[in-house]
Amino acid sequence: MTKILSSENLCKYFGGVRAVDQVDFSVDKGEIFGIIGPNGAGKTTLFNLLTGTLGVTKGKIYFKDGEITNLPPQKVTRLGIARTFQNIKLFEEMEVLENVKIGFHTQTKTNMLDAVLKNNKLKEDEEKVHLEGLKLLERVNMLDKKNNLAKNLSYGDKRRLEIARALAVKPEILLVDEPAAGMNPHETDEVVELLEQLNKEGITVVIIEHDMKVIMGMCDEILVLNNGVKLAQGTAAEVQKNPEVIEAYLGK
Amino acid sequence: MFGFYLSQLFNGITQGSIYALMAIGYSLIFGTLGLVTFAYGDIVIFGVFVGYYFYAVLGLNLILAMLLALPITFLFGVLVEKICYEKFRKEARMLMLITTVGFGIFLRSASQIIFGTGNKSIPTLIEGKIEIGNLNILYIQLGIIIFTLIFIYALRYFLNNTRTGIGIRALSMDQDAAKLVGVNVDKSIKFGHSLGVVLGVFGGIMLGSFYNAISPMMGPNLGLKAFTAVVLGGITSIPGAVIGGYILGIMENLAVAVFSSGYRDVVAFIILIIVLVVKPSGLFGKEVKF
Amino acid sequence: MAANIFEKIITNINKNKLKYIFLLIIVLLILPFVVENQYVLHIAVLTLMYVLLSSSLNVIVGYTGQYNIGHVAFYAIGAYTAAIISTRFNLNFIIVILISGFVASLFSLMLGIPTLRLRGIFFAFTTLGFAEITRLTILNWRSLTRGPFGIPGVPIPQIFGMRLSTNTHFYFMIFILLFLMLLMTYRIINSRVGRAWISIREDEQASASMGVDTFKYKIMNLMYGTFWAGVGGAFFAYFAGYVSADSFILDESFRFFAMVLVGGTGTLAGPILGGAVLTILPQVFRSFARYQMIIYGVAILLIIHYKPEGLLGGRTFKRDLSESEDN
Amino acid sequence: MRKSYLLSLLVLTVIFTFVLSAGAAEDTVKIGLSAPITGNYAEFGENFQYSVEIAADRINANGGIRGREVEIIVRNSEGKPNVAASIAQEFVQNKEIVAEIGDFTSTSCLAAAPIYERNQMVQLSPTSSHPDFARSGEFMFGIVGTQAAEGPFNAEYIAKEYLGIDSVAVIYINNDWGVSTMENFVAAAEKVGLEVTGTEAFFGGETDFSAILTNVKQNNPEGVYIAAMYNEASQVVNQIDRMEWDVAKLAPSSVFSEQFLKLSGESGEGLVTNTFFALEDPKEKVQSFIAEFRERADRNPNLHAAVAYDSMMLLADAIERAGFDRVAIRDALAETENFEGVTGTIEFTDVGDVVRSYMIMEVKDGDWVVQEDYR
């Protein structure tokens, strides 16, 4: 198994608050990797560091063979890392299909001049983006809503659209932040199924989730954070046995 | 030569003290509403004219007339809030920006019709001066500085120790959270805004009394100066706004001394842009969400 | 109720967009041949010019969500560039207009590089400062701009030996410019570039996560919008034959802004209606002399109260354009 | 209910358009007045309106012009050159308007000039003093006299002879009028050996002049020439007084107004200016104009008001001789001879402006007092 994403001594301090403190972890290619921890453990901050949304205070991040520490988010995305957001960040006033189309930004080349001239490059790009966008929507079962404004979607649909949008980037690794939050059990199952399917197709999945059933059921490996510090990394069984993890979750 | 720069510095401090006084009210409004207003100068001048009206037309005692103007402008502030902001609190900020512009145009033109188009003279509230070496310091100048200090401390006390004040402070940090902890958002916004207006009008009265003249057309320039001082010093930080006012005054006057008088405002705005680029929250402001 | 009829008309227009656009173009093309009143034509030229200017601001404010409240600076730079070049060199007006657009664009690049990294309202402050700096520099730099005297004698534009001096000529000139601008903008907005712009407006953080180089696209957007402001300014210089700093005060910037908001942001049609309404309204009320500006101010307040999303119901902005923290 | 706002607005717009375009009675002669009724120059525009309307009422009381009543069409130019140009377009389009009075600033006049010129309609500006204005066209007339004449008078007669000073600093407002006033004064000063120790500009609406004055005082000039309108000029003298700086103060005729006295109080004392309109002028027509103006505006007229009154009277005189044809009016106006206005005798030069002769006036005991008669 080869490492695809890893960190070394990763730290993020907000003033005196150590949101992420000296975290080392590594994700293997092709696995489903879970990150758990109580509220405020630094999970989302870790995601923000990995994707370049936040700058790191100390430490290093590696993706495949290269270092990606402090790369801006658009460059990180170009390398093949896509993400969703805990608090859903869709382009609310845009149609569902348009939301997905933006995901293809890095794979298309149209510039302003092409657009103005309406040349072949634009036409090819638009055609490609349109067709592939529809395919992705079909995949998440939202084809019938392609012309709805994103802001009018149901909560579950919004989460699914975010995943579809992230997939448009054609990522090697997908970081999903609480994809099942606020969903009913049926919707949750759908999302789990989708992620597992994607994983089978070769996409490495990193998932933050509070629902232990989801995490324990699908993850190959789990990272446990508490107060910004790594408590453990291992398989579901290993983690569940770790005394520090039990203490963090159940208290003394 | 040294004496020349010293007296220009002193000129700057004088002018800065007026900007500082004007900036206090602006800063309070900014903090309460979370948005710049482009009607501030016009509202302030309108308030001063109300006082002038009592004094010149109804023949009241000058100080009494000006004091009478304050409660009236407080009520006027409530009206302004209703027209320009109330409906748009949850809407985009730029709507409030344009309503203040529209209201400013309206009020300026209306003032010209009600109070006349020309400059009006206001006598000095407190006559007299003290001489220290070569410098003449007018009592009114001292008064301006003293009032500025009083306002900083009084406001700080008010915002930290009274129920209403704490409510306003909570608003400036997070409106939704303020609501959750039981702040009456509507009342607090109206009160904070009106208080800002009254402070501004008070500053305007001191300004009119210092320069002995007011005119409806002074509004926009005044508002822009208060705005610049507040942004320089740090939005929502009241002592910051005051220091911003002083910096602005000193910079402008030194610009006249060093470059040319035509570039006085250019220098001020260049400094504003540089400060924003280097430290968007202003020289003394905390990082805020805007 | 009567107001409902208005709503219905708007809905109807939205439904049959193409038809109405076609109809509007036809009407606008015939207009100068039917209208003989030169004053009305003059106002028509001004209206189209303001529509161009408010549309150019809408590209920046409406599509990418950058609070540019100093747009008048680029309009001024365009006008002065055209006036300075055309009175010193014998160049074809089309070239002069293009150069003016590029110069305005260049200034926006210089302003944008340090300031576009600032969030929402802070960027607005810098544009406001820039507008004042521009106006005051024009007034001070007498050797280049003749300071407060302005530059008179902007030559009459010529093409194929024809002197373009009548209102009808200028009408078609601005009509073509506006048509080009709207067509180009329409195409860009419906391409990868436009999607990137809009995504920045909607959520800059998410946009970056989709691989959009948000800073680069914001710069491009600002440059594109200010290019057209510069073109509008250059046209104004030719049309008026005279430029002076009094035409480029901050109020003018607020006027553009009001036009965009009154019409509806983030749609092509919004600023067209907004620009038209707020250009024609003051002309109609001009005979009210000293009550004119009162009516103007009240009209803006009323429209914003009645339809905060703009007459044509464009999208509304989120209250905060700033990035939300998620920890 | 709110929804009906917009509709009522639309309806209003339509109604007003109809009202505007509705035909007027045939038996009037229409004169356009383009003036800054709102904005920074509003008070000057207001003076224009009062004076021109007083003149029109007078004319109508005496049977009008060639039996027709004068009707003034007022348009607000907001002090903006491009708006003045739009108004010009409206006026020339309206065939019933035979001539125009306005605008206040030289830049507005210059911006509108090509339109009036092309359509052959007189633009008679009461106040444009820029030497280029009247030269910009056959149909352009200015009656206030140009800075090219006032500057030398102020430098030679007021500064050198009357005040007897050898050096002067210039403080000027940075607009078209101020710069032109400054430049003409400085040029004239150099000719007559009056040393100019420095020039300092300020922008309209400025209230604090202490920095500028401190700069100027550095070079110890014997006098300060204040090229500003009365409102800023009064601030300047106030602040000179506050500095306890004993210096001779002189200014162009723009400061001559009652407002200046009110705003400057004791610190205005001793300021010298020129004028060709004096409140104490005993002529009946002057006194009756002053009385009428006071009644309507509740203040004394200033120079700007007086020239606006004369502009209307001049036009009426020309129309009386020429009839209602625009070009004929232009010719008659150019041929005006020995017209006696409230501002003295008016005759146009070849280019269309007026060579004025000036009185010297000083503020004494809180009042404007003529010190030397016309020269």
Side-chain angles (χ1 to χ4, degrees), chain B residues 4 11 129 210-211 256 261, chain D residues 200-201 208 214-215 242 244:
Chain B
F4 167 68
N11 291 337
K129 64 182 175 194
F210 178 65
Y211 292 118
V256 174
S261 42
Chain D
E200 291 284 343
D208 194 307
T214 307
N215 262 9
R242 199 166 268 180
E244 295 180 343

Side-chain angles (χ1 to χ4, degrees), chain A residues 106-159:
Chain A
T106 54
Q107 299 148 51
T108 45
K109 292 273 180 293
T110 313
N111 60 25
M112 254 162 70
L113 194 66
D114 298 325
V116 167
L117 297 176
K118 221 174 175 177
N119 62 12
N120 283 337
K121 199 147 111 207
L122 173 103
K123 285 180 192 150
E124 277 165 25
D125 274 353
E126 286 303 304
E127 204 165 312
K128 170 186 160 185
V129 164
H130 189 77
L131 286 177
E132 294 200 20
L134 290 179
K135 266 189 223 158
L136 276 175
L137 284 184
E138 191 170 17
R139 182 127 207 209
V140 293
N141 263 333
M142 288 182 67
L143 205 51
D144 52 330
K145 297 179 182 117
K146 68 179 161 67
N147 291 329
N148 291 15
L149 284 185
K151 67 172 175 185
N152 298 334
L153 292 177
S154 71
Y155 196 74
D157 279 344
K158 282 186 177 178
R159 291 254 174 231

Side-chain angles (χ1 to χ4, degrees), chain B residues 11-49:
Chain B
N11 291 337
I13 292 171
T14 305
Q15 211 180 344
S17 63
I18 286 165
Y19 292 160
L21 192 56
M22 301 293 309
I24 294 177
Y26 198 109
S27 173
L28 190 62
I29 293 176
F30 207 145
T32 320
L33 295 168
L35 183 74
V36 287
T37 150
F38 289 106
Y40 181 71
D42 296 310
I43 294 168
V44 164
I45 290 294
F46 177 81
V48 183
F49 262 106

Side-chain angles (χ1 to χ4, degrees), chain B residues 50-51 54 58 60 62-73 205:
Chain B
V50 170
F54 285 139
L58 302 184
L60 294 182
L62 179 64
I63 294 176
L64 183 71
M66 292 303 170
L67 285 180
L68 256 181
L70 298 180
I72 291 175
T73 44
I205 291 170

Side-chain angles (χ1 to χ4, degrees), chain B residues 24-150:
Chain B
I24 294 177
Y26 198 109
S27 173
L28 190 62
I29 293 176
F30 207 145
T32 320
L33 295 168
L35 183 74
V36 287
T37 150
F38 289 106
Y40 181 71
D42 296 310
I43 294 168
V44 164
I45 290 294
F46 177 81
V48 183
F49 262 106
V50 170
Y52 175 82
Y53 187 83
F54 285 139
Y55 161 71
V57 180
L58 302 184
L60 294 182
N61 168 284
L62 179 64
I63 294 176
L64 183 71
M66 292 303 170
L67 285 180
L68 256 181
L70 298 180
I72 291 175
T73 44
F74 186 90
L75 294 178
F76 186 65
V78 176
L79 182 74
V80 173
E81 204 279 337
K82 253 196 145 30
I83 294 173
C84 294
Y85 307 109
E86 191 179 30
K87 196 174 167 212
F88 310 111
R89 280 183 203 147
K90 290 279 162 208
E91 305 259 4
R93 288 170 196 284
M94 55 173 73
L95 281 178
M96 302 209 289
L97 190 148
I98 239 38
T99 53
T100 62
V101 168
F103 188 77
I105 294 174
F106 164 77
L107 191 61
R108 205 180 314 147
S109 322
S111 298
Q112 281 196 329
I113 292 169
I114 301 170
F115 302 113
T117 47
N119 282 23
K120 297 283 183 293
S121 80
I122 294 187
T124 308
L125 285 168
I126 344 160
E127 296 278 1
K129 64 182 175 194
I130 36 174
E131 284 175 42
I132 303 171
N134 283 333
L135 292 178
N136 280 325
I137 301 175
L138 303 173
Y139 284 153
I140 184 89
Q141 272 168 302
L142 282 181
I144 287 170
I145 292 169
I146 291 167
F147 275 121
T148 307
L149 290 175
I150 291 176

